[in-house]
């Protein structure tokens, strides 16, 4: 019982009350109004000191372990391959900006401790050259720098609001589709199940390049598609330059061919045009003219057996339908924080963007895989072209200009993987954001001179390309990574609170709604998107101005996670032993020969390392410097935003998100 608690009990049970007094100074008990004992006071002080020391010890241990991790990461990371990428103008600009911000912070610290920034001084009150220089700087920034920053920030805020309005309209369209339960429909009994000849001829293409981890599961899934065997042909389009991988894929194709599957293996000696060149080469085969539709799956995609029966019937009775696109589903979305945040983005992309544009406009960007094309639509649009790194978006735009319509099936899902390492995700995003700008430069004349309606032209130019591919990365990087920290040193141009807090949080909530289980990751998602803006901005600039990095094509690294159960099986077996056992089980001379060739062609695996990314680290230091300046001005929300955004850049720069290499 507490020492100051006094219970009062009344014998009669009717209408009794219990009085508890916790204040020894209460006038109810004047005899208790005396000072606490010295011993009691000492124990209270000791308890509070113990709590403070425990907190300080916890913070010290966390800080020291963090520093040790940073030191270890820097000492073990490999930055040699990143040097050429960080010699660009953007990195030099960030370094100059960082240097100026550190100098500005030093000046503001001197002014703060000398209380120069608390009130205006008269000329005769200025003390010394340094004081005079600071007052001249304040006057200069107020008259010349602040108006420029305000003008640029207002421009970015307008773009930000336009893009937010676009997101809001898309979300309303998605809500309307859900509310009205609108779905693409198909004719009943589109094909006679008992008559295989009524099924159209379908070609399945699986382009791949050095996909050691996933080739078997993708080929196996395609070979198990439920479709008449004589009406289906599977093309395995192998661009691998690894001899061991080529042998493994050939053996896998041979094993399925022995089971009666109509499957062929194609290998190009010269890998020109990357994926577009691979698909273009496959479509040039003479037997392709016998097929009506082509389904495309990347090497890590595993369609369900009923995929073709869920997609092909939509073409029945719709001669102007060129593409049926299915949704992606991810087997490793809960693998780490990076995959969780990617899942939020892609759920919004499919659930909202693709579904709304498909329903109301009959047009969206082809996702490059998990889709079925009418071959006549591909040929009418000019076929696969090798001019950009986004051949899927290229063919979709050209087909749209020819009048072909698209359908998106949100209920048909195909399993695939998300990049688990920040390095793989960064390279993927660079390609996804530089390619559209390349394509915009090439397609703009064709869009303007095409015969489609003015509304469709406006949608393509202003919404599809400019707003969602150019403006989004531009304002995100410029407003939140450049202007916001700059305004901390030029307080006359400070951004309003609703720009950096209320509207971004609201838009993030809209983005996260298609993945409701990810709501606890709202704040990390907001910080993550702003952190990725530097990669997307750099990619957008390189694509728009045709810089060298815009033409880089790097195959996204996969791990071969085919299902949740496979995650456990993956830890129980090694790829080498599984391949040997599979070959030995065949008990054939060719299998033994293949095993010998594999051992001869075996190349020791490269040791993987986590990298450090200097652009992200420079921006982390810049934002943390700006947060320190914000602290001097007692900016509450601005300080916390800059602090946590700077820490998120630090985490990305040290490659502490995603897959960690031991």
């Amino acid at each position: 019982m507490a020492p100051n608690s006094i219970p009062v009990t009344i014998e009669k049970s009717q209408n009794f009350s219990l009085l508890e007094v916790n204040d020894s100074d209460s006038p109810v008990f004047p005899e208790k109004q005396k000072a606490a004992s010295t011993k009691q006071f000492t124990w209270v002080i000791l308890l509070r000191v113990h709590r403070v020391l425990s907190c300080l010890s916890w913070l010290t241990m966390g800080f020291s372990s963090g520093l040790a991790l940073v030191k270890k990461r820097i000492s073990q990371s490999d930055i040699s391959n990143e040097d050429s990428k960080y010699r660009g103008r953007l990195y030099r600009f960030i370094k100059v900006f960082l240097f100026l911000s550190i100098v500005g912070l030093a000046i503001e610290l001197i002014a703060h401790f000398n209380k120069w920034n608390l009130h205006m001084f008269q000329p005769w009150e200025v003390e010394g050259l340094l004081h005079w220089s600071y007052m001249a700087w304040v006057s200069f920034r107020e008259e010349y720098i602040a108006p420029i920053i305000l003008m640029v920030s207002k421009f970015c805020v307008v773009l930000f609001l336009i893009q937010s309005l676009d997101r809001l309209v898309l979300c309303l369209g998605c809500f309307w589709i859900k509310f009205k339960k609108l779905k693409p429909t198909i004719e009943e009994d589109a094909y006679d199940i008992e008559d295989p000849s009524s099924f159209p001829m379908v070609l399945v293409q699986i382009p791949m390049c050095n996909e050691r981890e996933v080739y078997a599961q993708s080929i196996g899934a395609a070979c198990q598609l439920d479709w008449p065997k004589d009406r289906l042909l599977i093309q395995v389009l192998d661009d691998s330059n690894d001899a061991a991988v080529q042998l493994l894929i050939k053996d896998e194709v041979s094993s399925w061919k022995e089971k009666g599957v109509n499957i062929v293996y194609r290998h190009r000696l010269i890998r020109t045009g990357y994926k577009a060149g691979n698909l273009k080469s496959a479509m040039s085969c003479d037997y392709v003219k016998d097929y009506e539709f082509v389904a495309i799956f990347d090497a890590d995609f595993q369609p369900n057996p009923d995929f073709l029966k869920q997609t092909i019937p939509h073409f029945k009775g719709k001669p102007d339908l060129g593409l049926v696109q299915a949704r992606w589903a991810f087997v490793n979305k809960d693998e780490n924080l990076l995959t969780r945040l990617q899942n939020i983005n892609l759920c919004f992309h499919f659930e909202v963007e693709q579904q709304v544009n498909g329903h109301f406009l009959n047009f969206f960007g082809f996702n490059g895989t998990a889709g079925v094309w009418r071959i006549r639509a591909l040929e009418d649009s000019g076929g696969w072209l090798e001019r950009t790194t986004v051949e899927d978006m290229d063919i979709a735009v050209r087909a749209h200009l020819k009048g072909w319509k698209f359908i998106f099936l949100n209920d048909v899902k195909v399993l695939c993987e998300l990049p688990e390492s920040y390095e793989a995700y960064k390279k993927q995003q660079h390609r996804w954001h530089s390619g559209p700008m390349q394509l915009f430069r090439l397609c703009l004349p064709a869009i303007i001179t095409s015969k489609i309606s003015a509304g469709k032209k406006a949608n393509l130019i202003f919404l599809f390309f400019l707003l969602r591919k150019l403006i989004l990365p531009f304002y995100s990087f410029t407003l939140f990574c450049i202007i916001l920290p700059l305004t901390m040193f030029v307080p006359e141009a400070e951004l309003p609170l609703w720009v950096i807090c209320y509207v971004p949080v609201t838009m993030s909530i809209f983005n996260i709604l298609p993945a409701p289980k990810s709501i606890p990751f709202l704040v990390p998602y907001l910080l993550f998107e702003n952190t990725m803006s530097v990669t997307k901005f750099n990619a957008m600039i390189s694509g728009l101005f045709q810089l060298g990095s815009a033409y880089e094509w790097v195959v996204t690294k996969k791990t071969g996670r085919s299902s949740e159960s496979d995650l456990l099986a993956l830890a129980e077996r090694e790829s080498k032993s599984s391949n040997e056992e599979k070959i030995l089980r065949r008990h054939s001379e060719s299998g033994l020969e293949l095993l010998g060739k594999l051992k001869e062609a075996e190349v020791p695996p490269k040791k993987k390392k986590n990298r450090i990314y200097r652009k992200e680290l420079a921006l982390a230091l810049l934002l943390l410097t700006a947060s320190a300046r914000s602290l001097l001005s007692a900016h509450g929300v601005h300080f916390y935003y800059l602090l946590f955004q700077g820490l998120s850049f630090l985490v990305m720069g040290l490659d502490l998100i995603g897959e960690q290499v031991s």
Side-chain angles (χ1 to χ4, degrees), residues 72 117 230 286 299 303 348 373 431 454 460 603 642:
K72 182 179 179 181
N117 52 355
D230 60 338
D286 293 335
F348 181 85
W373 277 94
R431 178 165 56 87
L460 266 178
V603 178
L642 289 167

Side-chain angles (χ1 to χ4, degrees), residues 8 17 28 132 151 168 226 251 257 349 373 375 589 596 645:
V8 179
S17 62
V28 178
W132 180 86
M151 180 179 64
L168 180 61
D226 185 10
D251 180 67
K257 185 176 292 186
H349 169 69
W373 277 94
I375 293 180
E589 185 179 353
Q645 191 65 69

Side-chain angles (χ1 to χ4, degrees), residues 565-628:
S565 59
D566 188 56
L567 294 177
L568 299 176
L570 190 67
E572 299 175 357
R573 67 178 187 270
E574 297 178 355
S575 59
K576 178 182 176 182
S577 61
S578 65
N579 290 329
E580 292 178 355
E581 291 172 3
K582 180 185 67 176
I583 296 169
L584 290 174
R585 280 197 302 267
R586 296 179 61 191
H587 295 292
S588 64
E589 185 179 353
S590 61
L592 293 175
E593 290 176 356
L594 176 60
L595 179 58
K597 292 179 181 179
L598 282 175
K599 289 182 177 180
E600 293 176 2
E602 189 172 309
V603 178
K606 294 182 179 179
K607 186 177 180 181
K608 294 195 300 182
K609 293 183 179 180
N610 287 103
R611 301 180 181 274
I612 59 174
Y613 301 94
R614 292 188 285 179
K615 276 180 188 171
E616 284 80 352
L617 289 179
L619 280 168
L621 295 176
L622 172 62
L623 292 170
L624 292 175
T625 303
S627 69

